């Protein structure tokens, strides 16, 4: 009888949660915390894949699942809804989300421009026989971007403005990156903005770069960041941040391993992977560049009003 009461008491404790607090991170059978991260399957996110392979997240007692998403909007909505504990999105998407009152908070850098003209992972390209010879000549032209009113058109306008041109008459056309090189060849647009591997692909087809928009916008541009929401446990946030920072530092120092890990989660051909310009992956967010991106977005009407980036990036 005594044993039966003990067993019954144990079952009641289990049924009532066994001391697990609502909202606490889920624990796996191995004692690791299960984490789902929403991440776009592109070159920019190589560090998180490399860090998982190297065991940097396991070191922090994290069982990491990387869930592919289509873009920053999906990453933000997934994090805010609770589907993801952490996610990756570009700076403009996160600034927009913050201004809309969404509960997003940056935990680490995601990817940064190399800052080098001719050797960055983002560029504006034209056909080889185009009369457009420099960034200022893009004024009044039709240019493709993967998403309207985001980091692409904002930084392209900055390139034109910095070169002495007037960006107000540019017509931006929304096209997925994979479709942009063909649209350029067919004459559907005058220029395309793309990132790697599409920069190298377009150049191999004869396209000519006329602007390196990320490098033009500001020095050491923080292009995207990893973020979470207020619902995420503080200790888990600390551990994830430590793991992703270590992943970023390792990727930045080991480009050959980055090129190898790209073969595991992207569909980029190995011969293209060998040639593409890799971005930089500093662990620290360049807050000054985030503020510059915010100010450019306000000037272009992408953001409604000036925002203090300290509210987004602690």
């Amino acid at each position: 009888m005594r044993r039966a009461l003990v067993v019954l008491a144990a079952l009641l404790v289990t049924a009532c949660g066994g001391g697990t607090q609502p909202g606490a991170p889920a624990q796996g059978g191995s004692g690791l915390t299960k984490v789902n991260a929403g991440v776009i399957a592109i070159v920019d996110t190589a560090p998180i894949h490399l860090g998982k392979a190297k065991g940097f997240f396991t070191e922090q007692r994290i069982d990491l699942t990387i869930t592919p998403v289509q873009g920053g909007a999906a990453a933000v909505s997934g994090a805010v809804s609770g589907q993801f504990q952490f996610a990756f999105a570009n700076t403009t998407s996160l600034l927009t989300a913050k201004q809309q009152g969404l509960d997003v908070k940056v935990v680490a850098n995601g990817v940064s421009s190399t800052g080098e003209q001719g050797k960055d992972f983002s560029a504006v390209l034209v056909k080889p026989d185009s009369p457009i010879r420099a960034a200022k000549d893009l004024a009044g032209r039709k240019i493709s971007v993967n998403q309207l009113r985001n980091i692409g058109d904002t930084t392209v306008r900055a390139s034109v403005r910095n070169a002495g041109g007037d960006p107000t008459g540019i017509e931006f056309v929304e096209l997925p990156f994979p479709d942009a090189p063909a649209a350029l060849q067919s004459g559907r647009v005058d220029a395309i903005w793309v990132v790697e591997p599409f920069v190298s692909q377009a150049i191999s087809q004869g396209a000519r770069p006329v602007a390196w928009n990320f490098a033009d916008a500001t020095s050491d541009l923080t292009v995207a960041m990893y973020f979470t929401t207020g619902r995420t446990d503080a200790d888990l946030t600390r551990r994830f941040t430590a793991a992703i920072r270590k992943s970023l530092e390792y990727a930045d120092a080991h480009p050959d391993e980055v090129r190898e890990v790209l073969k595991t989660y992207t569909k980029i051909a190995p011969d293209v992977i060998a040639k593409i310009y890799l971005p930089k992956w500093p662990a620290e967010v360049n807050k000054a560049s985030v503020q510059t991106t915010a100010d450019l977005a306000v000037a272009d009407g992408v953001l409604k009003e000036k925002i203090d980036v300290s509210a987004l990036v602690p």
Side-chain angles (χ1 to χ4, degrees):
M1 179 69 177
R2 179 182 177 86
R3 182 178 178 185
L5 289 172
V6 169
V7 171
L8 178 60
L11 289 172
L12 287 171
V13 168
T14 301
C16 294
T20 300
Q21 298 299 315
Q27 298 294 325
S30 61
L32 303 180
T33 307
K34 292 184 176 294
V35 167
N36 189 11
V39 176
I40 311 166
I42 53 177
V43 173
D44 312 28
T45 57
I48 195 170
H49 292 272
L50 188 54
K52 180 179 180 179
K54 288 291 178 181
F56 298 158
F57 290 90
T58 305
E59 288 175 2
Q60 293 294 332
R61 309 189 314 282
I62 290 173
D63 179 6
L64 178 65
T65 296
I66 301 173
T67 299
V69 296
Q70 290 301 310
V76 170
S77 63
V80 171
S81 70
Q83 179 186 1
F84 307 129
Q85 288 76 48
F86 301 92
F88 174 99
N90 79 54
T91 299
T92 304
S93 294
L94 289 172
L95 289 166
T96 301
K98 195 67 177 177
Q99 190 161 86
Q100 291 172 345
L102 298 180
D103 180 21
V104 293
K105 179 180 68 175
V106 168
V107 298
N109 184 42
V111 66
S112 297
S113 165
T114 66
E116 295 185 53
Q117 298 288 330
K119 293 183 179 180
D120 204 7
F121 73 109
S122 169
V124 182
L125 302 109
V126 298
K127 293 175 72 171
D129 59 352
S130 169
I132 300 170
R133 310 304 301 179
K136 67 178 182 179
D137 301 329
L138 293 167
R141 301 290 186 164
K142 184 183 291 187
I143 306 172
S144 72
V145 293
N146 73 320
Q147 183 179 351
L148 295 174
R149 297 175 60 79
N150 210 284
I151 197 167
D153 46 22
T154 295
T155 52
V156 170
R157 286 192 186 97
S159 288
V160 175
R161 193 180 293 116
N162 292 347
D166 180 3
T168 56
I170 295 174
E171 179 185 353
F172 288 102
V173 177
E174 188 167 289
L175 279 177
F177 286 141
D179 299 339
L184 180 64
Q185 293 299 322
S186 68
R188 181 178 172 187
V189 293
D190 300 309
I192 58 172
W193 167 60
V194 288
V195 296
E196 289 290 17
F198 305 105
V199 174
S200 294
Q201 176 189 336
I203 290 174
S204 72
Q205 295 171 352
R208 175 168 46 83
V210 293
W212 301 86
N213 52 311
F214 286 171
D216 290 339
T218 187
S219 60
D220 302 319
L221 178 71
T222 292
V223 176
M225 298 174 280
Y226 288 93
F227 68 98
T228 188
T229 67
R231 74 171 71 206
T232 306
D233 176 80
D235 177 66
L236 176 58
T237 298
R238 178 190 60 78
R239 288 186 281 130
F240 180 90
T241 301
I244 193 62
R245 284 175 64 92
K246 187 171 182 178
S247 302
L248 290 161
E249 291 168 351
Y250 189 89
D252 212 38
H254 297 83
D256 290 343
E257 290 188 47
V258 166
R259 294 183 192 276
E260 285 301 312
V261 82
L262 286 173
K263 300 172 185 177
T264 67
Y265 72 94
T266 74
K267 297 179 180 179
I268 307 171
D271 60 322
V272 176
I273 288 174
K275 299 174 184 175
I276 61 175
Y277 297 116
L278 295 178
K280 299 296 291 181
W281 288 290
E284 298 291 343
V285 172
N286 181 348
K287 289 180 69 171
S289 81
V290 175
Q291 188 65 63
T292 297
T293 299
D295 294 344
L296 289 171
V298 171
D300 293 338
V302 175
L303 293 178
K304 294 180 180 178
E305 58 189 21
K306 187 174 176 64
I307 183 172
D308 180 1
V309 300
S310 296
L312 175 65
V313 186

